[in-house]
Protein backbone atom coordinates (compact mmCIF):
# COMPACT_ATOMS: atom_id res chain seq x y z
CA UNK A 1 0.00 0.00 0.00
CA UNK A 2 1.49 3.36 -0.98
CA UNK A 3 1.51 5.82 1.91
CA UNK A 4 2.90 9.33 1.34
CA UNK A 5 5.40 10.58 3.88
CA UNK A 6 5.42 14.33 4.58
CA UNK A 7 8.63 15.96 5.76
CA UNK A 8 8.56 19.33 7.52
CA UNK A 9 11.53 21.66 6.98
CA UNK A 10 13.45 22.50 10.14
CA UNK A 11 13.71 26.17 11.11
CA UNK A 12 15.05 28.15 14.05
CA UNK A 13 18.36 28.13 15.84
CA UNK A 14 20.93 25.36 15.57
CA UNK A 15 19.97 23.56 18.79
CA UNK A 16 16.26 23.52 17.93
CA UNK A 17 17.10 22.36 14.42
CA UNK A 18 19.17 19.47 15.74
CA UNK A 19 16.36 18.36 18.04
CA UNK A 20 13.87 18.47 15.18
CA UNK A 21 16.26 16.52 12.96
CA UNK A 22 16.52 13.75 15.55
CA UNK A 23 12.72 13.56 15.85
CA UNK A 24 12.38 13.57 12.07
CA UNK A 25 14.87 10.71 11.63
CA UNK A 26 13.01 8.68 14.26
CA UNK A 27 9.67 9.26 12.57
CA UNK A 28 11.05 8.50 9.13
CA UNK A 29 12.37 5.21 10.50
CA UNK A 30 8.93 4.39 11.91
CA UNK A 31 7.27 5.30 8.63
CA UNK A 32 9.67 3.10 6.65
CA UNK A 33 9.00 0.19 9.02
CA UNK A 34 5.28 0.77 8.59
CA UNK A 35 5.66 0.73 4.80
CA UNK A 36 7.65 -2.50 4.97
CA UNK A 37 4.91 -4.08 7.07
CA UNK A 38 2.10 -2.83 4.85
CA UNK A 39 3.82 -3.87 1.61
CA UNK A 40 4.67 -7.38 2.78
CA UNK A 41 3.08 -10.22 0.76
CA UNK A 42 -0.26 -11.51 1.98
CA UNK A 43 -0.38 -15.28 1.72
CA UNK A 44 -3.30 -17.63 1.54
CA UNK A 45 -5.94 -15.31 0.08
CA UNK A 46 -7.50 -16.72 -3.05
CA UNK A 47 -9.23 -14.27 -5.37
CA UNK A 48 -12.91 -15.16 -5.28
CA UNK A 49 -15.87 -13.61 -7.04
CA UNK A 50 -17.80 -10.96 -5.10
CA UNK A 51 -20.71 -12.37 -3.12
CA UNK A 52 -24.31 -11.39 -3.86
CA UNK A 53 -24.72 -9.62 -0.52
CA UNK A 54 -21.44 -7.69 -0.67
CA UNK A 55 -22.04 -6.49 -4.24
CA UNK A 56 -25.74 -5.68 -3.88
CA UNK A 57 -26.14 -2.03 -4.95
CA UNK A 58 -27.46 0.18 -2.18
CA UNK A 59 -26.26 -1.95 0.75
CA UNK A 60 -26.15 0.48 3.69
CA UNK A 61 -23.48 -0.07 6.34
CA UNK A 62 -23.29 1.77 9.66
CA UNK A 63 -19.65 2.50 10.56
CA UNK A 64 -18.55 3.53 14.05
CA UNK A 65 -16.09 6.44 14.27
CA UNK A 66 -14.18 7.49 17.38
CA UNK A 67 -11.65 10.30 17.71
CA UNK A 68 -8.20 8.83 17.03
CA UNK A 69 -6.61 11.06 14.36
CA UNK A 70 -5.07 10.63 11.84
CA UNK A 71 -6.41 7.07 11.58
CA UNK A 72 -10.09 7.76 12.25
CA UNK A 73 -11.98 10.88 13.40
CA UNK A 74 -14.59 13.53 12.62
CA UNK A 75 -13.07 16.79 11.41
CA UNK A 76 -14.18 20.29 12.41
CA UNK A 77 -17.01 20.20 9.88
CA UNK A 78 -18.36 16.90 11.20
CA UNK A 79 -17.08 14.81 8.28
CA UNK A 80 -15.66 11.36 8.96
CA UNK A 81 -12.06 11.20 7.80
CA UNK A 82 -8.71 9.51 8.42
CA UNK A 83 -6.68 6.59 7.02
CA UNK A 84 -9.30 3.96 7.83
CA UNK A 85 -12.14 6.11 6.52
CA UNK A 86 -10.32 6.69 3.23
CA UNK A 87 -9.88 2.93 2.87
CA UNK A 88 -13.49 2.02 3.58
CA UNK A 89 -14.78 4.76 1.26
CA UNK A 90 -12.71 3.31 -1.60
CA UNK A 91 -13.88 -0.22 -0.85
CA UNK A 92 -17.49 0.96 -0.60
CA UNK A 93 -17.21 2.61 -4.00
CA UNK A 94 -16.00 -0.67 -5.54
CA UNK A 95 -18.71 -2.70 -3.80
CA UNK A 96 -21.52 -0.15 -4.34
CA UNK A 97 -22.15 0.23 -0.62
CA UNK A 98 -23.58 3.27 1.10
CA UNK A 99 -21.87 4.25 4.34
CA UNK A 100 -23.41 5.92 7.37
CA UNK A 101 -20.84 7.15 9.89
CA UNK A 102 -21.84 7.24 13.57
CA UNK A 103 -19.79 8.93 16.33
CA UNK A 104 -19.04 6.98 19.50
CA UNK A 105 -16.46 6.83 22.26
CA UNK A 106 -14.03 3.90 22.04
CA UNK A 107 -15.63 1.68 24.68
CA UNK A 108 -19.13 2.45 23.37
CA UNK A 109 -17.97 1.68 19.80
CA UNK A 110 -16.82 -1.79 20.85
CA UNK A 111 -20.06 -2.44 22.71
CA UNK A 112 -22.22 -1.25 19.82
CA UNK A 113 -20.51 -3.42 17.21
CA UNK A 114 -20.74 -6.41 19.56
CA UNK A 115 -24.48 -5.75 19.99
CA UNK A 116 -25.06 -5.39 16.25
CA UNK A 117 -25.82 -1.65 16.40
CA UNK A 118 -22.82 -1.04 14.11
CA UNK A 119 -22.05 -2.99 10.94
CA UNK A 120 -18.35 -2.10 10.90
CA UNK A 121 -15.79 -0.68 13.29
CA UNK A 122 -12.30 0.22 12.01
CA UNK A 123 -9.01 0.35 13.92
CA UNK A 124 -9.50 -2.73 16.11
CA UNK A 125 -6.55 -4.85 17.21
CA UNK A 126 -7.11 -8.59 17.59
CA UNK A 127 -7.06 -10.30 20.93
CA UNK A 128 -8.64 -13.52 22.21
CA UNK A 129 -11.39 -11.81 24.18
CA UNK A 130 -12.51 -9.70 21.21
CA UNK A 131 -12.35 -12.67 18.85
CA UNK A 132 -15.02 -14.38 20.98
CA UNK A 133 -17.55 -11.57 20.48
CA UNK A 134 -16.49 -9.87 17.21
CA UNK A 135 -15.91 -11.07 13.67
CA UNK A 136 -12.40 -10.40 12.35
CA UNK A 137 -11.32 -10.58 8.69
CA UNK A 138 -8.08 -12.20 7.52
CA UNK A 139 -6.29 -9.13 6.14
CA UNK A 140 -5.32 -6.18 8.37
CA UNK A 141 -6.07 -2.67 7.16
CA UNK A 142 -3.12 -1.10 8.96
CA UNK A 143 -0.08 -1.95 11.08
CA UNK A 144 0.93 0.08 14.12
CA UNK A 145 2.80 -0.02 17.42
CA UNK A 146 2.62 1.83 20.72
CA UNK A 147 4.82 4.63 22.04
CA UNK A 148 4.96 6.44 25.35
CA UNK A 149 4.87 10.24 24.94
CA UNK A 150 5.83 12.60 27.76
CA UNK A 151 5.40 16.15 28.95
CA UNK A 152 8.63 17.93 27.96
CA UNK A 153 9.27 18.94 31.57
CA UNK A 154 9.33 15.27 32.64
CA UNK A 155 12.42 13.09 32.14
CA UNK A 156 11.51 9.59 30.92
CA UNK A 157 14.37 7.79 29.22
CA UNK A 158 13.59 4.20 30.21
CA UNK A 159 10.95 2.09 31.93
CA UNK A 160 12.72 2.67 35.26
CA UNK A 161 12.01 6.42 34.98
CA UNK A 162 8.28 5.65 35.19
CA UNK A 163 8.47 5.20 38.96
CA UNK A 164 5.77 7.33 40.65
CA UNK A 165 4.71 8.83 37.30
CA UNK A 166 1.11 9.31 36.12
CA UNK A 167 0.63 7.66 32.71
CA UNK A 168 -2.56 7.90 30.67
CA UNK A 169 -3.99 4.86 28.82
CA UNK A 170 -7.02 4.54 26.57
CA UNK A 171 -9.35 2.33 28.60
CA UNK A 172 -9.91 -1.19 27.24
CA UNK A 173 -7.37 -0.75 24.44
CA UNK A 174 -4.92 -3.51 23.57
CA UNK A 175 -1.94 -1.31 24.47
CA UNK A 176 -3.50 -0.48 27.86
CA UNK A 177 -3.84 -4.14 28.79
CA UNK A 178 -0.33 -4.94 27.53
CA UNK A 179 1.30 -1.99 29.30
CA UNK A 180 -0.59 -2.69 32.53
CA UNK A 181 0.73 -6.26 32.55
CA UNK A 182 4.23 -5.02 31.72
CA UNK A 183 4.23 -2.64 34.69
CA UNK A 184 2.70 -5.22 37.04
CA UNK A 185 5.44 -7.71 36.15
CA UNK A 186 8.23 -5.12 36.50
CA UNK A 187 7.36 -4.19 40.06
CA UNK A 188 7.70 -0.48 39.20
CA UNK A 189 5.13 1.72 40.94
CA UNK A 190 3.25 3.68 38.27
CA UNK A 191 -0.11 5.44 38.54
CA UNK A 192 -2.11 4.45 35.46
CA UNK A 193 -4.85 6.89 34.47
CA UNK A 194 -7.69 5.41 32.37
CA UNK A 195 -8.88 7.63 29.50
CA UNK A 196 -12.03 7.57 27.39
CA UNK A 197 -10.61 9.84 24.69
CA UNK A 198 -7.02 9.79 23.43
CA UNK A 199 -6.82 13.48 22.48
CA UNK A 200 -8.13 14.49 25.90
CA UNK A 201 -5.21 12.53 27.35
CA UNK A 202 -2.70 14.50 25.28
CA UNK A 203 -4.26 17.73 26.52
CA UNK A 204 -3.91 16.48 30.10
CA UNK A 205 -0.23 15.61 29.53
CA UNK A 206 0.41 19.01 27.96
CA UNK A 207 -1.19 20.71 30.98
CA UNK A 208 0.90 18.64 33.39
CA UNK A 209 -2.11 16.77 34.82
CA UNK A 210 -0.39 13.51 33.85
CA UNK A 211 3.28 12.90 33.07
CA UNK A 212 2.87 10.86 29.91
CA UNK A 213 0.50 8.94 27.70
CA UNK A 214 0.55 5.70 25.70
CA UNK A 215 -0.73 5.96 22.12
CA UNK A 216 -0.41 4.29 18.75
CA UNK A 217 2.35 5.70 16.56
CA UNK A 218 0.16 7.28 13.88
CA UNK A 219 -2.12 9.11 16.30
CA UNK A 220 0.62 9.77 18.84
CA UNK A 221 3.07 11.49 16.51
CA UNK A 222 0.40 13.87 15.23
CA UNK A 223 -1.03 14.69 18.66
CA UNK A 224 2.45 15.04 20.20
CA UNK A 225 3.21 17.80 17.70
CA UNK A 226 -0.14 19.46 18.34
CA UNK A 227 0.23 19.47 22.14
CA UNK A 228 4.04 19.90 22.30
CA UNK A 229 4.81 16.54 23.88
CA UNK A 230 8.00 14.55 23.32
CA UNK A 231 8.24 10.91 22.33
CA UNK A 232 10.37 8.46 24.33
CA UNK A 233 12.39 5.34 23.65
CA UNK A 234 9.60 3.22 25.18
CA UNK A 235 8.19 1.57 22.04
CA UNK A 236 6.35 -1.74 22.19
CA UNK A 237 3.71 -4.11 20.86
CA UNK A 238 3.43 -4.02 17.05
CA UNK A 239 -0.18 -4.81 16.18
CA UNK A 240 -2.40 -5.43 13.18
CA UNK A 241 -5.51 -3.26 12.96
CA UNK A 242 -8.72 -4.56 11.37
CA UNK A 243 -12.21 -3.62 10.32
CA UNK A 244 -14.49 -5.77 12.50
CA UNK A 245 -18.19 -6.62 12.38
CA UNK A 246 -20.74 -8.26 14.72
CA UNK A 247 -20.50 -12.03 15.07
CA UNK A 248 -24.05 -12.38 13.76
CA UNK A 249 -23.38 -10.46 10.53
CA UNK A 250 -23.08 -12.57 7.35
CA UNK A 251 -19.38 -12.92 6.41
CA UNK A 252 -19.70 -11.48 2.90
CA UNK A 253 -18.97 -7.89 3.95
CA UNK A 254 -15.64 -8.70 5.59
CA UNK A 255 -14.82 -11.08 2.72
CA UNK A 256 -15.21 -8.17 0.29
CA UNK A 257 -12.91 -6.02 2.45
CA UNK A 258 -10.37 -8.87 2.55
CA UNK A 259 -10.37 -9.18 -1.25
CA UNK A 260 -9.70 -5.51 -1.80
CA UNK A 261 -7.04 -5.15 0.90
CA UNK A 262 -5.23 -8.29 -0.31
CA UNK A 263 -5.12 -6.89 -3.85
CA UNK A 264 -3.81 -3.51 -2.66
CA UNK A 265 -1.17 -4.99 -0.37
Amino acid sequence: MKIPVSILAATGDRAASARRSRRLRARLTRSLLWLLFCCSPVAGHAQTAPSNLASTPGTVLTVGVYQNPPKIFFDGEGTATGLHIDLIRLIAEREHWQLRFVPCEWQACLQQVENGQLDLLPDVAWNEQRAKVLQFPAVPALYSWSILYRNRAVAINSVFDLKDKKIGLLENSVQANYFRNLIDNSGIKVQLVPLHNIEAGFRMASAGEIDGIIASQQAGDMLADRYKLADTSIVFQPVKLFFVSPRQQPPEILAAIDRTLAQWQ
Side-chain angles (χ1 to χ4, degrees), residues 152-165:
R152 291 183 180 275
V154 179
I156 300 177
N157 298 308
S158 74
V159 174
F160 299 104
D161 295 327
L162 295 176
K163 183 180 179 181
D164 297 325
K165 300 292 193 301

Side-chain angles (χ1 to χ4, degrees), residues 145-224:
W145 50 93
S146 300
I147 301 175
L148 190 146
Y149 299 85
R150 63 177 176 85
N151 182 295
R152 291 183 180 275
V154 179
I156 300 177
N157 298 308
S158 74
V159 174
F160 299 104
D161 295 327
L162 295 176
K163 183 180 179 181
D164 297 325
K165 300 292 193 301
K166 292 182 180 180
I167 304 298
L169 297 163
L170 184 62
E171 184 67 7
N172 204 34
S173 63
V174 168
Q175 62 259 44
N177 295 331
Y178 183 95
F179 190 74
R180 187 174 285 111
N181 289 335
L182 180 69
I183 292 301
D184 288 345
N185 292 332
S186 72
I188 300 171
K189 184 181 177 182
V190 181
Q191 184 177 344
L192 301 179
V193 180
L195 306 168
H196 299 293
N197 181 291
I198 196 68
E199 186 164 2
F202 274 81
R203 286 196 296 268
M204 291 171 65
S206 179
E209 297 173 33
I210 57 177
D211 299 302
I213 181 170
I214 298 288
S216 64
Q217 177 265 327
Q218 290 93 353
D221 280 358
M222 188 189 78
L223 292 171

Side-chain angles (χ1 to χ4, degrees), residues 1-2 38 87 90-91 94 259-265:
M1 190 180 300
K2 296 180 180 178
C38 290
L87 284 174
L90 289 170
I91 295 170
R94 288 175 56 140
R259 279 194 304 273
T260 301
L261 291 177
Q263 290 168 5
W264 288 346
Q265 292 181 6

Side-chain angles (χ1 to χ4, degrees), residues 74-250:
F74 282 101
D75 64 17
E77 298 180 353
T79 301
T81 189
L83 299 173
H84 287 295
I85 301 302
D86 291 344
L87 284 174
I88 197 60
R89 286 189 196 277
L90 289 170
I91 295 170
E93 184 177 349
R94 288 175 56 140
E95 298 292 333
H96 309 291
W97 298 335
Q98 295 180 33
L99 301 176
R100 186 169 71 92
F101 296 104
V102 176
C104 47
E105 294 287 348
W106 171 243
Q107 184 58 44
C109 287
L110 288 172
Q111 192 63 54
Q112 287 174 29
V113 72
E114 180 182 342
N115 294 341
Q117 297 169 267
L118 299 174
D119 297 307
L120 286 174
L121 179 62
D123 200 39
V124 181
W126 184 95
N127 65 26
E128 290 185 6
Q129 181 180 358
R130 290 175 183 171
K132 293 176 182 177
V133 295
L134 301 174
Q135 189 173 186
F136 280 80
V139 183
L142 199 63
Y143 293 80
S144 186
W145 50 93
S146 300
I147 301 175
L148 190 146
Y149 299 85
R150 63 177 176 85
N151 182 295
R152 291 183 180 275
V154 179
I156 300 177
N157 298 308
S158 74
V159 174
F160 299 104
D161 295 327
L162 295 176
K163 183 180 179 181
D164 297 325
K165 300 292 193 301
K166 292 182 180 180
I167 304 298
L169 297 163
L170 184 62
E171 184 67 7
N172 204 34
S173 63
V174 168
Q175 62 259 44
N177 295 331
Y178 183 95
F179 190 74
R180 187 174 285 111
N181 289 335
L182 180 69
I183 292 301
D184 288 345
N185 292 332
S186 72
I188 300 171
K189 184 181 177 182
V190 181
Q191 184 177 344
L192 301 179
V193 180
L195 306 168
H196 299 293
N197 181 291
I198 196 68
E199 186 164 2
F202 274 81
R203 286 196 296 268
M204 291 171 65
S206 179
E209 297 173 33
I210 57 177
D211 299 302
I213 181 170
I214 298 288
S216 64
Q217 177 265 327
Q218 290 93 353
D221 280 358
M222 188 189 78
L223 292 171
D225 279 341
R226 180 180 299 174
Y227 292 102
K228 311 301 181 187
L229 300 188
D231 54 15
T232 72
S233 60
I234 300 175
V235 180
F236 60 96
Q237 197 189 23
V239 294
K240 300 174 182 179
L241 301 173
F242 296 88
F243 292 96
V244 299
S245 67
R247 293 285 294 181
Q248 63 270 29
Q249 186 184 80

